[in-house]
Amino acid sequence: MLYYEIAGPAEAQPIMLSGSLGTTLEMWDPQMTALTEHFRVIRFDHRGHGRSPVTGECSIADLGGDVLELLDRLKLPVVSFAGLSLGGMVGMWLAAHAPERIDRLALLCTSAKLGTPDSWSERASAVRAGGTASITEAAVGRWFTPGFGGREPYVAMLSGISDEGYAACCGAIGAMDLRPDLPRIKAPTLVLAGADDPATPPEHAELIVSGIAGSRLVILSGAAHLANVERPDAVSQHLIRHFMEE
């Protein structure tokens, strides 16, 4: 069972926030003050991350199934969903395979097909051999632009992730190809990219937009992979506008 937290007015529209590989739900702290003024916000840790259990090898479908189980547990028939990176991959799977559960979708700094199975297998092997601390410098270097000064809490966040939990999710990403699913997504979709994101550059967002009818693309300047951290106010406002649209 996934660990989760809920904040915001009990009667407000529910939205779910799903984070990046190597982060915990605290990744979304920069958005919470703004979002909880309007929404009932559910955040969770992916399996093998933060306070959620480590379960071994998994797929994107397994991670999506975890979310569906959580929605059932919370008795939420439908939510709006925002996911960044791995969270966005889970969001695409949900919107394609359980469309009745997702009424609006926001995809941040993510990809429908990222890297090769071998590249993700190599990263998983490195983490199993040397721990998440061994890849922290490289990973956090992709998360933020060079001039960003607030990276230390995220270095600690990544270093604290379960080695096996991180490696298992690497395997899920390596095996993933959501491109055939994109035309099945009917939920109104916002796709947001960081202009300076080396992990999922804007062309990944453009491919997603080309596959989801009616989706809208926003590219944020001055942001790398964790755009919600580097441009918190801009990301919050884009999410609020998108989720409040009729």
Side-chain angles (χ1 to χ4, degrees):
M1 288 188 177
L2 298 181
Y3 176 82
Y4 67 93
E5 294 182 0
I6 302 179
E11 70 282 0
Q13 173 187 347
I15 68 169
M16 181 169 272
L17 304 179
S18 181
S20 174
L21 175 69
T23 69
T24 66
L25 58 78
E26 284 81 10
M27 187 200 90
W28 293 104
D29 282 353
Q31 277 64 57
M32 290 303 290
T33 297
L35 293 183
T36 53
E37 290 183 8
H38 304 276
F39 308 109
R40 183 77 161 162
V41 180
I42 304 106
R43 298 184 286 174
F44 66 90
D45 290 330
H46 294 290
R47 62 167 71 184
H49 286 60
R51 286 154 282 189
S52 289
V54 180
T55 61
E57 295 296 332
C58 61
S59 66
I60 295 297
D62 292 326
L63 299 178
D66 291 344
V67 174
L68 294 175
E69 186 275 335
L70 177 57
L71 291 177
D72 290 343
R73 190 161 26 128
L74 296 174
K75 296 181 171 57
L76 289 171
V78 61
V79 293
S80 298
F81 190 98
L84 189 148
S85 193
L86 176 59
M89 299 166 192
V90 173
M92 284 183 273
W93 186 91
L94 288 166
H97 292 270
E100 72 283 0
R101 309 302 294 269
I102 307 297
D103 61 359
R104 301 191 76 84
L105 181 65
L107 304 171
L108 291 75
C109 304
T110 191
S111 178
K113 171 66 177 173
L114 186 60
T116 65
D118 285 347
S119 67
W120 286 102
S121 178
E122 289 169 7
R123 191 189 300 194
S125 296
V127 168
R128 288 185 171 114
T132 51
S134 68
I135 54 95
T136 296
E137 182 176 354
V140 175
R142 293 187 291 269
W143 285 359
F144 303 112
T145 59
F148 181 69
R151 63 185 61 206
E152 285 309 311
Y154 300 91
V155 171
M157 185 182 292
L158 175 55
S159 298
I161 299 297
S162 156
D163 300 341
E164 185 55 39
Y166 186 98
C169 287
C170 285
I173 297 171
M176 174 199 74
D177 187 354
L178 295 168
R179 291 173 295 183
D181 284 340
L182 295 178
R184 300 172 59 181
I185 296 175
K186 305 305 179 187
T189 300
L190 168 68
V191 182
L192 190 150
D196 303 309
D197 181 0
T200 54
E203 53 262 33
H204 289 254
E206 292 165 357
L207 185 148
I208 292 170
V209 169
S210 72
I212 302 177
S215 58
R216 180 166 58 90
L217 175 63
V218 172
I219 299 178
L220 285 180
S221 62
H225 195 52
L226 294 194
N228 73 301
V229 176
E230 287 202 90
R231 297 288 312 277
D233 293 342
V235 168
S236 296
Q237 290 307 308
H238 281 296
L239 292 178
I240 289 168
R241 283 197 294 269
H242 179 61
F243 289 145
M244 294 185 74
E245 287 178 355
E246 295 295 336

